[in-house]
Amino acid sequence: MSGPVLVIELAEPVPPVSIQRLRELLVRSSSHFEEKRVGEYDLNIHAESLGIVDTGGIDGRRPVMVSLMGPGIGDESIFEAEHADEVDQEPLIGFTPTHAVDVIAFCNRPVDHVVTALLTAAVMDVIGGVANAECDFSVW
């Protein structure tokens, strides 16, 4: 079952020092950390590391992927496909995205939505950007 996904839109490539700081944040916050490539991480985030105390009675280690992408890093074709049908974002967010970070939860419990939101905010504290949330109202 897939869970929530948030995208952090970026106006420029992420400098190596910021990627290292991101990696350090994720290592500190995880019970499992696997670096697939620079900028792509499979994790089990400790919900409590993000300040979440109520996990709804389920294990607080939540499976998540964080993936930086765009020209020069990650799968450029995924970045291009994700942005191909979007309207011009510059009037909305002040820039045209050149790179992005996907924060993807692999479960769909209420705690996974909170983890995804708080982890996205923590990642943005390190690298900046603007969060892009798409809602599927057909499930409501």
Side-chain angles (χ1 to χ4, degrees), residues 67-86:
S67 181
L68 177 59
M69 68 186 92
I73 189 161
D75 190 337
E76 290 181 43
S77 62
I78 292 176
F79 175 83
E80 291 169 4
E82 286 183 351
H83 292 82
D85 61 351
E86 290 183 349

Side-chain angles (χ1 to χ4, degrees), residues 7-8 15 19 23-25 39 45 49 57 61 66 83 85-86 95-96 106-107 114 116 123 125 136:
V7 178
I8 303 167
I19 293 173
R23 185 181 189 285
E24 291 166 2
L25 164 75
I45 292 290
S49 73
R61 296 170 296 181
V66 174
H83 292 82
D85 61 351
E86 290 183 349
F95 60 88
T96 299
F106 290 115
C107 295
V114 177
T116 304
V123 170
D125 282 345
D136 180 3

Side-chain angles (χ1 to χ4, degrees), residues 22-62:
L22 172 62
R23 185 181 189 285
E24 291 166 2
L25 164 75
L26 298 174
V27 167
R28 280 193 316 272
S29 303
S30 303
S31 62
H32 166 79
F33 176 90
E34 183 180 346
E35 187 171 23
K36 300 280 192 174
R37 62 160 173 81
V38 173
E40 184 169 300
Y41 312 101
D42 279 334
L43 317 160
N44 279 343
I45 292 290
H46 287 292
E48 63 273 4
S49 73
L50 299 171
I52 301 168
V53 293
D54 181 5
T55 62
I58 60 172
D59 189 341
R61 296 170 296 181
R62 309 309 302 154

Side-chain angles (χ1 to χ4, degrees), residues 17 63 72 87 90 119 125 140:
V17 67
V87 299
E90 187 165 359
L119 181 58
D125 282 345
W140 294 7

Side-chain angles (χ1 to χ4, degrees), residues 81-134:
E82 286 183 351
H83 292 82
D85 61 351
E86 290 183 349
V87 299
D88 181 15
Q89 291 190 28
E90 187 165 359
L92 302 171
I93 63 175
F95 60 88
T96 299
T98 64
H99 291 75
V101 179
D102 285 351
V103 180
I104 305 164
F106 290 115
C107 295
N108 201 17
R109 302 281 197 120
V111 68
D112 298 301
H113 291 262
V114 177
V115 165
T116 304
L118 293 176
L119 181 58
T120 297
V123 170
M124 289 171 62
D125 282 345
V126 173
I127 63 169
V130 174
N132 180 359
E134 295 181 11

